[in-house]
């Protein structure tokens, strides 16, 4: 079946502009995650959605970053007034709901490479 | 919060040799340790994981060991092949306040030379 998809695959923008990145999770996955991967770095957690629960936004680096998940499916990560340090690959992942005491594999999309000039 | 250190950052081996990547973590409450492989231009893909009630797990040429006392875990790839060349990430989860978040190491670029 289809995996996690993200669009666009590449985005080049000018400093100060707003950008929206989209994630389509695997059908039936209620958990959705956004990560940021900077050059030579590991993946940095940004935000987590689980069903209708309030999202965990603890990883968002500043108030310029926000994310929504509509209808429990598609998610959009928005970065306002982009800065050069926002340049990175933004990865989305989805998983089945986590069972008590258990873990479900996170399936990653191919990412969106954001370049802020 | 959790902190995961990964070594080495780069590793070059000859085809057929073994490769070992090591990670340490800081939160003793962490209890889930996955390893991901990321090929160029693609998202990370889970290759093996281990839970804290297990000391070792093996899947064909790949094995992971976990030492909870020392808070470190390792990935072992035997009989390496050129297609094993990729960036490998370790991660930890399940610690205090983060029972779903994965904290990743910075990655190891593995190159298998034919």
């Amino acid at each position: 079946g289809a995996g996690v998809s993200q669009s666009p695959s590449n985005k080049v923008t000018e400093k100060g502009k707003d950008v929206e990145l989209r994630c389509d999770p695997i059908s039936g996955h209620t958990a959705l995650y956004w990560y940021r991967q900077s050059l030579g770095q590991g993946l940095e957690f940004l935000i987590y959605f689980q069903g209708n629960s309030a999202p965990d936004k603890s990883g968002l680096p500043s108030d310029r970053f926000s994310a929504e998940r509509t209808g429990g499916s598609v998610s959009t990560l928005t970065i306002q007034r982009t800065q050069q340090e926002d340049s990175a690959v933004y990865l989305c992942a989805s998983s089945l709901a986590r069972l008590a005491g258990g873990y479900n594999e996170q399936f990653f999309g191919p990412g969106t490479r954001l370049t802020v000039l | 919060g959790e902190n995961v250190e990964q070594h080495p950052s780069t590793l070059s081996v000859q085809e057929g040799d073994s490769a070992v990547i090591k990670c340490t973590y800081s939160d003793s409450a962490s209890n889930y340790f996955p390893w991901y492989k990321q090929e160029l231009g693609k998202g990370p893909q889970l290759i093996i994981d281990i839970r804290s009630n297990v000391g070792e797990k093996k899947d064909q040429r790949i094995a992971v060991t976990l030492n909870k006392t020392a808070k470190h875990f390792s990935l072992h790839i035997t009989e390496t092949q050129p297609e094993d060349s990729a960036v490998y990430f370790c991660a930890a989860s399940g610690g205090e306040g983060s029972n779903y978040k994965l904290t990743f190491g910075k990655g190891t670029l593995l190159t298998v030379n034919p």
Side-chain angles (χ1 to χ4, degrees):
Chain A
V4 177
S5 60
Q6 293 186 245
S7 60
S9 55
N10 281 283
K11 177 70 176 180
V12 180
T13 190
E14 293 179 348
K15 178 182 173 180
K17 294 285 180 69
D18 298 351
V19 295
E20 285 189 352
L21 312 180
R22 177 186 169 106
C23 172
D24 284 84
I26 292 172
S27 178
H29 281 191
T30 58
L32 187 146
Y33 313 75
W34 283 97
Y35 295 87
R36 179 169 68 176
Q37 184 175 26
S38 302
L39 188 63
Q41 301 294 310
L43 282 73
E44 174 191 11
F45 168 81
L46 296 178
I47 189 169
Y48 163 73
F49 295 91
Q50 172 57 59
N52 295 321
S53 302
D56 177 352
K57 304 179 182 180
S58 60
L60 295 179
S62 77
D63 58 7
R64 296 186 295 104
F65 288 72
S66 63
E68 291 184 340
R69 188 177 185 194
T70 56
S73 181
V74 172
S75 178
T76 301
L77 177 69
T78 301
I79 309 174
Q80 296 178 309
R81 304 181 302 282
T82 53
Q83 303 294 312
Q84 288 184 332
E85 59 262 30
D86 298 335
S87 297
V89 175
Y90 290 83
L91 290 159
C92 174
S94 71
S95 72
L96 294 169
R98 178 177 177 271
L99 302 175
Y103 295 91
N104 286 307
E105 177 182 354
Q106 292 186 28
F107 293 83
F108 283 83
T112 293
R113 180 174 297 278
L114 175 66
T115 303
V116 182
L117 302 176
Chain B
E2 176 66 275
N3 182 50
V4 176
E5 299 284 340
Q6 182 172 348
H7 300 280
S9 57
T10 61
L11 180 59
S12 182
V13 300
Q14 288 299 122
E15 182 177 359
D17 288 350
S18 295
V20 180
I21 303 171
K22 299 182 179 182
C23 289
T24 60
Y25 60 98
S26 60
D27 190 342
S28 57
S30 290
N31 53 16
Y32 175 64
F33 308 93
W35 285 88
Y36 283 83
K37 175 183 181 182
Q38 186 176 28
E39 297 176 336
L40 195 61
K42 297 183 178 180
Q45 182 177 12
L46 180 72
I47 56 172
I48 195 167
D49 57 16
I50 191 167
R51 288 156 173 72
S52 61
N53 59 344
V54 176
E56 184 174 357
K57 183 177 178 180
K58 189 172 182 179
D59 182 4
Q60 298 184 337
R61 297 186 297 109
I62 295 173
V64 57
T65 59
L66 171 65
N67 183 328
K68 284 224 75 180
T69 302
K71 290 189 284 187
H72 68 68
F73 56 113
S74 300
L75 177 72
H76 304 252
I77 306 175
T78 58
E79 301 171 26
T80 53
Q81 301 167 5
E83 52 265 37
D84 294 330
S85 296
V87 179
Y88 291 80
F89 292 97
C90 63
S93 180
E96 182 67 27
S98 62
N99 58 3
Y100 48 79
K101 288 183 209 177
L102 289 174
T103 300
F104 285 83
K106 293 188 176 182
T108 297
L109 174 61
L110 173 64
T111 303
V112 180
N113 302 299

